[in-house]
Amino acid sequence: MESWFTEPKLPLGRFVKMGITWLQDNGAGFFDAVTATIDFLVDGSTAILLHVPFLIVVFAVAALAYWLHRSWRLAAFVVVAFIFIANLGYWQATVETISLVGFSTLASVIIGVPLGVAAAHRPWLYALMRPLLDLMQTLPTFVYLIPTLVLFHLGSAPGLISTVIFAIAAPIRLTQLGIASVPLPLKEAGQAFGATKRQLLWKVELPYAMPTIMAGITQCIMLSLSMVVIAALVGAAGLGTPVVRALGTVNIPMGIEAGVSIVLLAIVLDRVFRNPERKGSA
């Protein structure tokens, strides 16, 4: 009886391969242009940051942390963490990771926040998007890393695109939640004062939902950072590269040092870019 359901086998994988092959044959110019653009942006920002003296970058991030949170402890932690990473010899890899995570988060926010706003205003749209978002978050990352590698070749592009696929669900979901949670009396008050739909969005809904949206952006940063090691498998530079090398050579010191560097960078990014309204937090 089992053979009734297993034979003939549905050619799902073959259909997907045919689709990827068709994209390769008909969109090679587009994918090459996307790859070149991503490599230019990521490599260019990395080169600029590496050209700036190390201490200037460190104190600039520390100053940003103090300006956002008014916390000397946080600013001091940023300085100590970055100096410790540089002492381990992973400053260049850290800058490469910051560039990759920065552009991944920027792309996720630019795409995700407007989609979240649209989904909050159109429940039917969110109902259609929710299964896709669930799929993007639960599908093993190696599955969609394969087609992105085929289409965009080795380098930063497949790593960045796979990271966006994995991380974009957070800003979409939390933006939708924040906008949908705006109290109805608050929106009615805005309408009573003659606010248009655009004014209602920019002056009522977005300010009220901003803490939730910022939580989504912070979560997006953490999800992007969690893809560093996986992105290194397809040629993306950064702190994931020494982790992969340490795994291949069973190099315990290299693995521990690179792993601690990733943890410290994650803590710095989380503390600096969490909701700026939390004054005095470290």
Side-chain angles (χ1 to χ4, degrees):
M1 180 177 290
E2 183 180 350
S3 62
W4 295 359
F5 302 98
T6 58
E7 297 178 3
K9 178 183 176 181
L10 294 174
L12 175 61
R14 192 170 64 197
F15 285 158
V16 173
K17 182 180 178 181
M18 291 171 57
I20 298 298
T21 303
W22 184 87
L23 288 174
Q24 278 185 286
D25 295 338
N26 296 275
F30 169 77
F31 294 117
D32 290 344
V34 172
T35 300
T37 301
I38 292 175
D39 289 342
F40 173 77
L41 291 174
V42 175
D43 295 343
S45 63
T46 300
I48 292 173
L49 289 174
L50 290 176
H51 184 72
V52 177
F54 162 72
L55 288 178
I56 293 180
V57 176
V58 172
F59 285 114
V61 178
L64 175 65
Y66 178 78
W67 179 70
L68 289 174
H69 300 276
R70 293 296 188 269
S71 172
W72 285 110
R73 288 184 300 165
L74 176 58
F77 174 77
V78 170
V79 173
V80 172
F82 279 161
I83 290 177
F84 182 74
I85 291 173
N87 178 261
L88 294 177
Y90 292 106
W91 175 246
Q92 179 175 341
T94 299
V95 171
E96 293 168 343
T97 297
I98 291 173
S99 297
L100 184 65
V101 170
F103 281 106
S104 300
T105 303
L106 181 63
S108 299
V109 170
I110 290 175
I111 300 171
V113 171
L115 283 178
V117 172
H121 291 155
R122 300 167 181 83
W124 61 268
L125 177 60
Y126 187 64
L128 291 176
M129 292 171 54
R130 186 157 47 186
L132 180 60
L133 297 176
D134 293 338
L135 180 66
M136 292 163 62
Q137 287 189 303
T138 56
L139 191 68
T141 51
F142 287 102
V143 174
Y144 49 78
L145 201 64
I146 298 171
T148 55
L149 176 61
V150 171
L151 295 174
F152 298 99
H153 314 297
L154 283 172
S156 300
L160 188 145
I161 292 171
S162 298
T163 300
V164 170
I165 294 173
F166 180 68
I168 196 173
I172 293 176
R173 289 185 186 276
L174 288 174
T175 300
Q176 187 275 336
L177 176 63
I179 297 295
S181 301
V182 177
L184 183 60
L186 190 61
K187 293 191 286 188
E188 290 177 343
Q191 293 171 341
F193 280 99
T196 63
K197 289 185 177 181
R198 178 174 297 182
Q199 291 172 331
L200 199 64
L201 172 65
W202 287 99
K203 296 185 178 181
V204 177
E205 294 177 335
L206 285 177
Y208 183 90
M210 190 54 64
T212 306
I213 295 174
M214 287 299 301
I217 294 174
T218 303
Q219 187 175 355
C220 182
I221 294 174
M222 294 298 101
L223 291 172
S224 298
L225 194 57
S226 70
M227 287 286 290
V228 165
V229 177
I230 296 177
L233 295 175
V234 291
L239 288 169
T241 301
V243 174
V244 173
R245 290 175 181 169
L247 182 62
T249 59
V250 197
N251 190 328
I252 295 177
M254 180 185 292
I256 294 297
E257 291 172 357
V260 170
S261 300
I262 293 174
V263 171
L264 288 175
L265 179 60
I267 294 174
V268 168
L269 294 178
D270 176 64
R271 296 297 188 270
V272 171
F273 292 102
R274 67 169 47 182
N275 188 356
E277 293 180 357
R278 299 176 184 177
K279 302 296 182 182
S281 65

